[in-house]
Amino acid sequence: MENNLKRLRVERGLTQDVLADRIGTNAGQIHKLESGHRRLSDVWISKLVTALHCTPAELFGDSGTRNIPIIGEVPGGDLSIALNSPPDGFIQFSSARANLRALRVKGNSMSRLAPDGMYVVVDFSDTDPTRLHNQPVIVCIENPATGDHECSFKIYKRNPDRFEPFSIEAGYEAIFPAAREWKIYGRVI
């Protein structure tokens, strides 16, 4: 039976070896599963869905609507752990872009775009600050007191670098990271 395993693996930037390691097998088995020489049993499907952050329907379907994994909330802690953890659920979204994830908005600092409780879809492939001026992004900024990173959903502005709220409520201020370390994880689409 045909499947989308290879496409999903490549979209997520994984080699056969890396995917095999994630699900406790070898690259040869992944090749057999991708080519259809080995049937995707319920056990394989379960392991692959977790490793690829997808749904069983995505492994076999070809509809324009995809299930985008929900990986957590923003604002929140460092997203690197969430990106490699099983999803909290899925939302439906129509896009051919490969590296999409969803986050639940917590708070009202961006209420003009996404009020508290709404989900935003993030393109985790779109991270180049030189191309993201005046765009909504997910950014993680170092907390100098703890060394941890706090992630936020804001509008990125340049010269000087800053992350601005876009709220219907007063009282939210721009974040100027100055000497603190920061990283844009992706553009909110």
Side-chain angles (χ1 to χ4, degrees), residues 2-182:
E2 282 191 37
N3 63 63
N4 297 320
L5 176 56
K6 182 175 182 177
R7 180 183 57 81
L8 292 169
R9 176 183 59 78
V10 170
E11 283 177 357
R12 283 149 176 81
L14 303 174
T15 64
Q16 288 180 338
D17 287 321
V18 170
L19 180 58
D21 188 51
R22 284 188 180 181
I23 66 171
T25 191
N26 59 55
Q29 289 289 10
I30 298 298
H31 175 74
K32 290 176 185 176
L33 293 167
E34 287 179 350
S35 65
H37 287 86
R38 176 137 196 180
R39 186 178 72 82
L40 281 173
S41 67
D42 291 345
V43 172
W44 286 118
I45 292 169
S46 176
K47 289 179 179 183
L48 290 166
V49 163
T50 300
L52 294 170
H53 305 297
C54 68
T55 65
E58 285 180 283
L59 280 174
F60 300 103
D62 64 349
S63 71
T65 302
R66 298 177 25 209
N67 282 325
I68 304 298
I70 301 167
I71 61 169
E73 291 185 325
V74 65
D78 195 333
L79 290 180
S80 58
I81 294 171
L83 284 168
N84 294 307
S85 299
D88 294 335
F90 297 90
I91 63 168
Q92 293 283 310
F93 192 75
S94 180
S95 176
R97 295 177 195 195
N99 199 12
L100 302 180
R101 300 289 183 272
L103 292 165
R104 184 177 176 273
V105 175
K106 190 171 142 186
N108 289 312
S109 70
M110 292 295 287
S111 60
R112 288 183 191 265
L113 291 179
D116 184 51
M118 183 176 176
Y119 289 95
V120 292
V121 174
V122 182
D123 183 347
F124 281 85
S125 300
D126 199 354
T127 62
D128 181 2
T130 62
R131 297 182 339 105
L132 294 173
H133 174 68
N134 218 26
Q135 297 292 315
V137 299
I138 302 298
V139 61
C140 289
I141 302 171
E142 180 185 36
N143 178 341
T146 64
D148 293 332
H149 289 79
E150 180 73 21
C151 289
S152 190
F153 168 36
K154 298 286 186 274
I155 304 289
Y156 174 59
K157 303 275 185 158
R158 297 181 65 189
N159 300 322
D161 289 321
R162 63 196 181 279
F163 301 93
E164 295 186 354
F166 195 54
S167 180
I168 59 174
E169 300 174 16
Y172 294 101
E173 296 183 13
I175 300 169
F176 290 86
R180 294 183 289 170
E181 184 180 319
W182 58 273

